[in-house]
Amino acid sequence: MNTLSYHQQRDIENVKHLRELIRELPPFCADFFRGIEPRTSSRTRIAYAYDLKVFFDFLLKENPVIAKMDMKDISLDHLDNLKLVDMEEYMEYLKYRFNDKNQEITNKERGIMRKISSLKSFYNYYYRNERLVNNPAALVQLPKLHEKEIIRLDVDEVALLLDEVEKGEALTEKQKSYHEKTKLRDLALLTLMLGTGIRVSECVGLDIDDVDFKNGGIHIHRKGGKEVTVYFGTEVETALQDYLDERNSIIPEEGSENALFLSLQKKRMNVRSVENLVKKYARIVTPLKKITPHKLRSTYGTNLYRETGDIYLVADVLGHSDVNTTKKHYAALEDERRRSARNAVKLREIDGK
């Protein structure tokens, strides 16, 4: 019997979780999830399920016709009778609400946009299949997004971060007691992320066999299931080699035999543990910046663009399906390059020069 890979196991777990979420929604919703399955990942469908539950909760609380009904009794006819004003009320509701546990929840522009985008896709599916006559979601204007400043590490901060991982001088006494046990692993993990720009989910999913020292690359699974090779330099290679010398002497727990990065419990590291790891060291080096694994990715993208000036290469290496996503993130750098090029072309020779 073949052992399932980490990514196959994660997908199975996601599908099981999705089925549980769908069972909470009105029965007709199952058709929507079957319809989008061929072109979406399980993680994307889970996000849709969460977003739709928020919408149906809103109808049960705020809509006079649907209020007090059971969620399972909501029908497509009910959705067909909703108007644009109902959608606008939903957008207002998303700004500030209470969940099932009576906890306050707020959504900013991006959170509202994602939930409205989910609702648009949901309505479009039934409208396209002629199961709805009206499509009020299509009339909703998405909120205007204000571009956020990209937070990244400066060059000197990258060096300071890796120095701190290596030496651990500013760690607390309790942290120092673990430092010797995790130093090589932490240094390899952070050097890899800063040297390749891979996502944290791609990092924790790496197996030992995914590292190819002969060609200087790692085999990763991108979002959507695409498999690619990302190449690394000598600094990453050295850090990985040092860690693997230690890793090969560890006997992992069952189910984590192939995992590259192991926790102190000898199990495959998860996303949360890497987030905490980054936070621990980043707080020491740059306390005013909220550095996350994604900010390490932005740091790599910035450095690669500054070195190459090739936005298409940056998009390809980072795994962006649309180069416009990359351009949007690195617009300030594009402008900086344009300004630096203003005197590059000479129109006339200046006398005496």
Side-chain angles (χ1 to χ4, degrees):
M1 180 178 173
N2 291 331
T3 304
L4 294 176
S5 70
Y6 167 77
H7 302 281
Q8 290 170 326
Q9 290 171 346
R10 290 293 301 161
D11 200 49
I12 288 171
E13 289 167 12
N14 284 342
V15 169
K16 288 179 180 176
H17 183 42
L18 178 62
R19 287 174 181 171
E20 292 173 6
L21 293 172
I22 291 173
R23 278 195 284 269
E24 297 177 16
L25 300 174
F28 63 85
C29 294
D31 298 335
F32 168 71
F33 287 99
R34 275 194 296 272
I36 65 172
E37 191 273 335
R39 61 184 188 280
T40 57
S41 69
S42 55
R43 286 178 60 191
T44 298
R45 295 195 298 280
I46 285 173
Y48 274 127
Y50 278 120
D51 290 346
L52 291 174
K53 187 173 187 307
V54 173
F55 175 65
F56 289 120
D57 281 338
F58 156 74
L59 294 178
L60 293 172
K61 290 174 183 174
E62 305 293 337
N63 187 281
V65 176
I66 299 172
K68 310 302 180 186
M69 287 176 62
D70 188 89
M71 189 177 291
K72 294 277 192 178
D73 295 329
I74 297 175
S75 69
L76 278 171
D77 286 339
H78 290 118
L79 297 192
D80 220 354
N81 289 324
L82 295 180
K83 308 294 183 187
L84 175 59
V85 67
D86 294 300
M87 302 296 150
E88 291 173 341
E89 286 175 359
Y90 177 50
M91 285 181 69
E92 184 65 30
Y93 168 83
L94 287 174
K95 292 178 182 176
Y96 176 78
R97 69 183 196 279
F98 289 88
N99 65 10
D100 295 338
K101 298 177 182 176
N102 208 34
Q103 297 168 321
E104 291 182 4
I105 296 179
T106 58
N107 278 293
K108 295 187 179 177
E109 295 161 346
R110 292 176 189 278
I112 293 172
M113 188 170 87
R114 194 194 86 170
K115 286 177 171 55
I116 297 298
S117 295
S118 296
L119 190 60
K120 282 176 174 281
S121 297
F122 184 67
Y123 258 92
N124 285 342
Y125 171 80
Y126 294 102
Y127 187 74
R128 199 169 52 246
N129 285 280
E130 300 181 340
R131 294 176 64 184
L132 286 176
V133 176
N134 300 306
N135 187 358
L139 304 175
V140 179
Q141 291 187 319
L142 292 173
K144 181 179 174 62
L145 288 182
H146 295 87
E147 289 302 322
K148 296 189 297 184
E149 180 188 2
I150 294 180
I151 298 171
R152 53 176 79 85
L153 292 171
D154 297 330
V155 174
D156 62 322
E157 291 171 336
V158 170
L160 289 171
L161 180 72
L162 296 177
D163 285 346
E164 184 56 41
V165 176
E166 201 163 21
K167 298 171 185 173
E169 293 174 346
L171 296 173
T172 65
E173 290 305 314
K174 185 178 179 181
Q175 289 171 336
K176 284 179 180 177
S177 65
Y178 293 103
H179 182 248
E180 279 304 312
K181 299 175 185 176
T182 64
K183 178 174 69 174
L184 292 178
R185 182 203 69 187
D186 295 353
L187 188 60
L189 192 152
L190 292 178
T191 303
L192 176 64
M193 295 185 76
L194 283 163
T196 61
I198 61 173
R199 297 177 176 90
V200 62
S201 58
E202 296 162 353
C203 184
V204 298
L206 285 170
D207 287 337
I208 295 174
D209 293 343
D210 289 329
V211 184
D212 177 7
F213 287 111
K214 182 182 177 184
N215 295 300
I218 50 170
H219 185 73
I220 63 171
H221 291 71
R222 290 286 195 203
K223 288 200 301 187
K226 185 180 179 183
E227 298 181 28
V228 300
T229 298
V230 174
Y231 297 97
F232 53 74
T234 54
E235 289 176 283
V236 175
E237 180 180 357
T238 300
L240 285 174
Q241 288 277 22
D242 290 344
Y243 168 63
L244 278 169
D245 288 342
E246 178 183 80
R247 167 67 181 84
N248 289 330
S249 66
I250 300 172
I251 301 173
E253 290 291 315
E254 185 178 350
S256 297
E257 294 88 350
N258 300 321
L260 176 59
F261 293 113
L262 295 176
S263 68
L264 284 172
Q265 290 74 40
K266 301 179 182 179
K267 295 179 181 179
R268 184 187 293 273
M269 291 185 75
N270 57 37
V271 169
R272 177 62 60 83
S273 59
V274 176
E275 288 172 344
N276 290 335
L277 173 70
V278 171
K279 187 189 297 183
K280 178 177 75 175
Y281 289 112
R283 272 179 180 162
I284 296 169
V285 173
T286 174
L288 296 181
K289 290 182 181 178
K290 188 179 178 183
I291 299 298
T292 63
H294 193 76
K295 303 298 187 294
L296 302 187
R297 183 169 155 81
S298 296
T299 299
Y300 173 77
T302 300
N303 292 338
L304 181 62
Y305 185 58
R306 280 193 171 130
E307 289 296 322
T308 65
D310 188 340
I311 199 72
Y312 292 94
L313 174 64
V314 175
D316 183 50
V317 173
L318 291 181
H320 291 165
S321 56
D322 184 354
V323 74
N324 288 318
T325 301
T326 322
K327 285 181 176 178
K328 183 174 68 177
H329 281 98
Y330 299 98
L333 295 177
E334 287 258 77
D335 191 53
E336 185 181 300
R337 289 185 72 247
R338 283 194 293 270
R339 283 201 308 274
S340 67
R342 62 180 180 257
N343 292 320
V345 176
K346 302 297 182 186
L347 303 180
R348 289 190 295 172
E349 289 296 325
I350 300 174
D351 292 342
K353 294 185 180 179

